[in-house]
Amino acid sequence: MVSKEWFSPFEESRRVGSVISVTPTEVMANLTLAGLGEAKWLFGEKIPAGEVNEYIFIHIGSSAVFGRITKVWLDGGERLTVDSVLNPAFPNHPIGAVQLLASINSETGRISRGITTHPRLGSQIYSAHPKLVATLISGLQDLAPTDIIIPIATSTHDESIIIHSTPEKMFSRHCAILGTTGGGKSFTTASLLQQVQLAGGRAILIDATGEYSTLDCHSFYVGPHALATDATAVTFPHWQFSDTDIRAFLRPSPQSQGPKLEAAIQSLKIRGLYQAQLGHGLNFSGPGCILKNGELKAHFENCLLATSHLLGQAQWSFRYLSEQIIHECVWPEARGDVTRWGLRADNDVGHCLNLISRIKSYASNPHLNWMIDPPGHLQTIPALIDSFLNTAPRGTILRLDLSAVAFEANSREILVNAIGRKLLANAREGSISHANPILVFIDESHQFLNKSVGEDSTKISLDAFGNIAKEGRKYGLNVVIATQRPRDIPEDVLSQIGTLIVHRLTNQLDQDLIKRAVGDMDQRSASFLPSLAQGEALLLGVDFPFPAIVKILKPARIPSSRGPNYSSSWRIPPPLPPLPQILPNPEPEPWADLV
């Protein structure tokens, strides 16, 4: 049970100073106890009494201003007094800068964004009790009786004090977990997934590297993974990709190759639909193609008209695509007969040669077998998603392991984009809704978002998750992106993120991007980012009253994200005993046979 108990923030024993200067965003203060060289202790509880990152309350009558100390210093000659801090003959008068965060009703703990009433000169300053800080961050005073709360972090000053949040605050406007390698990003992702599971939520995890294999979830593997079985191996077959995905994969030129590619895929779909039927009038060339050279157009057009409602999901064979493109390279009509296709157009074949070579290369590439003509017994990812949305019980996590998918032909990016488009289509159709919401966690999201395939004239944007960030909220489809490179996330996507958990960031470009995307993050808050310890994070967002530094809860099951153990692997083995020396057989002298 989480306590909502509020008590007075103005205890005389927690007084640390008074206001001496006031500006719209910060105050200067005399910090009486900051120059003692150590913190103040009260009944075994530490009172920082003037430390940087200490939260404070400023007394202004029936209300209070909540703030954070961002700087402490001594003026003039008093800087030397700290060398004699134990000598009472050398008193000092420290000064501190306090960032103003919010206004508080000191009687009820209700918090108001912004500063409704500014402090006056001489207003007294009190060190904030960690329990009150946790209550303000969590917003527990505004909870409804039916609200679910989930533990997400602890106070940095007292790890026994848990900070909670509601799923609505954390996820309803999307969430981003940002931070450099080693800052705790993976632990935060695993911790949030476990809290979602315990609270009865459902989520899909796109695991780019396989580091979340230790989680208690249903795991499925794309590609030749060592742990994959017939029951857990899945595929996203090429025929279920959209036309845009196929273009991104094969990169045809738009003028000559694009139309031939579309026509060839259409012909292969019709060939598959009419494979075992008679009387259609089509001329099958070999085991998998349709011959058009000199054939009547009417037979093909009649079959196309009869199957137009089936072509969207029709299967087609990739290994015959290059040959079918050659069959599409015919003159529009035969000499004197507009009802028939003409003979082969060698110029068109020449224009398509590089596309044909690329298709043949992909068809024989073993690293692309998971998507090109995959075995028929494998479950497809679209079918798996439909099953998950319709039948998975509450508290189920679906993990898609992409660690065995090779970085070739942009196949990873295209796959994740196709998954995002499938989820958005499900949301638009109603299988994802506010009554049946779904969270999608994307680890290493910089690999998949803000990606374009092709050159300037053929560039195709992979924007499925960008569209989810912009419109998925109204359907109950929300994303949680985790990345160590925030600057690779589009600003229009980052601006749609309502909650950010920012671990240590040292790159100035990353910090500037976050400040532009999130209005609540100013320079004072950003200044803490390079010095955050492992597991600490700056929690901020639309539904949080102020940027707060917290320590994320450690997950029950640790992700396998540790680096290599060089000390163990580089340990010098004992020297091997020397091998016996084997002398080569002496070659006979060239004149030996003459003796």
Side-chain angles (χ1 to χ4, degrees), residues 108-129:
T108 64
R110 302 286 177 183
I111 191 168
S112 302
R113 281 182 172 271
I115 309 301
T116 57
T117 303
H118 280 76
R120 297 176 60 86
L121 295 179
S123 296
Q124 299 301 297
I125 299 176
Y126 299 84
S127 180
H129 196 289

Side-chain angles (χ1 to χ4, degrees), residues 59-170:
H59 196 320
I60 50 174
S62 61
S63 61
V65 172
F66 184 67
R68 174 170 51 209
I69 298 176
T70 59
K71 182 180 179 181
V72 181
W73 73 96
L74 288 169
D75 267 345
E78 288 193 342
R79 61 186 176 84
L80 299 178
T81 61
V82 291
D83 288 335
S84 305
V85 70
L86 298 180
N87 189 340
F90 294 90
N92 52 38
H93 305 86
I95 299 174
V98 178
Q99 177 190 7
L100 304 182
L101 298 175
S103 293
I104 308 292
N105 184 320
S106 58
E107 295 181 357
T108 64
R110 302 286 177 183
I111 191 168
S112 302
R113 281 182 172 271
I115 309 301
T116 57
T117 303
H118 280 76
R120 297 176 60 86
L121 295 179
S123 296
Q124 299 301 297
I125 299 176
Y126 299 84
S127 180
H129 196 289
K131 288 185 178 180
L132 298 184
V133 177
T135 300
L136 294 176
I137 298 173
S138 304
L140 298 182
Q141 302 304 99
D142 298 319
L143 283 179
T146 57
D147 283 344
I148 293 176
I149 56 175
I150 57 176
I152 56 173
T154 65
S155 168
T156 55
H157 298 294
D158 187 346
E159 293 191 14
S160 66
I161 297 177
I162 307 298
I163 295 171
H164 297 77
S165 180
T166 63
E168 288 76 16
K169 285 185 177 182
M170 288 297 298

Side-chain angles (χ1 to χ4, degrees), residues 178-185 483-485 503-507 510:
L178 313 174
T180 56
T181 300
K185 174 175 56 67
T483 179
Q484 56 194 355
R485 292 177 59 89
H503 291 277
R504 182 174 63 247
L505 280 179
T506 56
N507 187 280
D510 290 335

